[in-house]
Amino acid sequence: MSNARDRMIARAAREVQPGMVVNLGIGLPTKVVNHLPADFPVCLHTENGLAGIGPTLSPEQADRNLIDAGGAYVSTIPGSAFFDSATSFSLVRSGRLDLTMLGAFEVAANGDLANWKIPGKFSPGMGGGIELAQKARRVIVLTTHTDRAGNPKLKDACTLPITARGCVRRIFTDLAVIDIGADGFHLVETAEGVGLAEIKEATGAPLIVPATKLPSF
């Protein structure tokens, strides 16, 4: 993992507040657990049936029966609970998640999210992302600012199949932290060593920049 991505994940981990129930989606979000203090009072949820997730483990250290939604080996903590899919999704559907962190293929300036399918490429299916995006009290995204071809992932409108509309509130990328307001993308923080011009060039929609100096992460 690049240093820029690692800093992005560490910054996103600061969104997790004591006492929260937090779902970590497949991909970059699952790595957030490794940036939380060992005794941090939070309940981390994975949709495949575990609440109370500890740090990820190497195959040599892991109980290979314990995985998160992305297939990574995870550990338990005192108070961890296992349950079936029906119970897991009842937690989601009943609005008990304070926060969900999801990956993204595209995010639109109005908060629309596309994160489950690229037409013409293999996709394992919609998964739980659609319900997580609709039902969690707050939805934030962790993603690279551009795709592998250098195309912006942050756009005026999504061109890929929509996961949920108007759901995203904050985006963490390897270049910046961006909030979504009623008038579009708002730049909140910049990655260390990244200039404003670079961020604007990598963003496929207008970017609202405050007049005050921005913090960096």
Side-chain angles (χ1 to χ4, degrees):
M1 182 181 297
S2 72
N3 188 44
R5 289 192 188 189
D6 199 46
R7 289 202 312 271
M8 170 185 66
I9 295 166
R11 172 61 186 87
R14 287 160 46 195
E15 295 292 294
V16 180
Q17 300 298 312
M20 278 185 167
V21 180
V22 181
N23 174 274
L24 301 179
I26 295 172
L28 294 172
T30 60
K31 302 180 187 301
V32 166
V33 62
N34 296 319
H35 291 271
L36 297 173
D39 58 350
F40 195 79
V42 63
C43 179
L44 300 179
H45 167 269
T46 178
E47 63 199 66
N48 59 316
L50 172 61
I53 303 171
T56 55
L57 300 174
S58 67
E60 294 75 27
Q61 298 173 305
D63 176 344
R64 299 197 182 191
N65 293 306
L66 301 183
I67 59 172
D68 62 20
Y73 295 120
V74 294
S75 57
T76 57
I77 59 174
S80 294
F82 301 93
F83 32 78
D84 60 17
S85 292
T87 302
S88 183
F89 276 92
S90 73
L91 294 173
V92 177
R93 293 167 182 164
S94 59
R96 286 178 164 82
L97 295 179
D98 296 297
L99 173 68
T100 186
M101 297 183 171
L102 300 174
F105 296 141
E106 294 178 343
V107 182
N110 66 349
D112 290 353
L113 172 66
N115 79 340
W116 74 275
K117 183 178 180 65
I118 298 177
K121 295 188 178 182
F122 173 76
S123 171
M126 297 177 183
I130 289 177
E131 292 191 83
L132 289 166
Q134 292 177 345
K135 299 298 185 180
R137 296 171 188 168
R138 180 170 169 82
V139 178
I140 65 175
V141 161
L142 281 73
T143 186
T144 54
H145 213 95
T146 61
D147 63 21
R148 293 179 182 178
N151 301 309
K153 289 188 175 182
L154 280 59
K155 301 185 170 188
D156 276 316
C158 292
T159 60
L160 297 175
I162 297 294
T163 303
R165 296 195 180 276
C167 62
V168 179
R169 294 293 171 261
R170 173 165 282 191
I171 308 163
F172 293 91
T173 80
D174 48 340
L175 301 183
V177 179
I178 293 173
D179 281 349
I180 294 180
D183 50 354
F185 293 127
H186 288 251
L187 185 61
V188 176
E189 297 178 25
T190 62
E192 185 177 343
V194 176
L196 179 58
E198 181 180 353
I199 298 169
K200 285 184 173 181
E201 184 177 356
T203 305
L207 186 61
I208 300 166
V209 181
T212 56
K213 184 177 179 179
L214 292 167
S216 60
F217 62 93

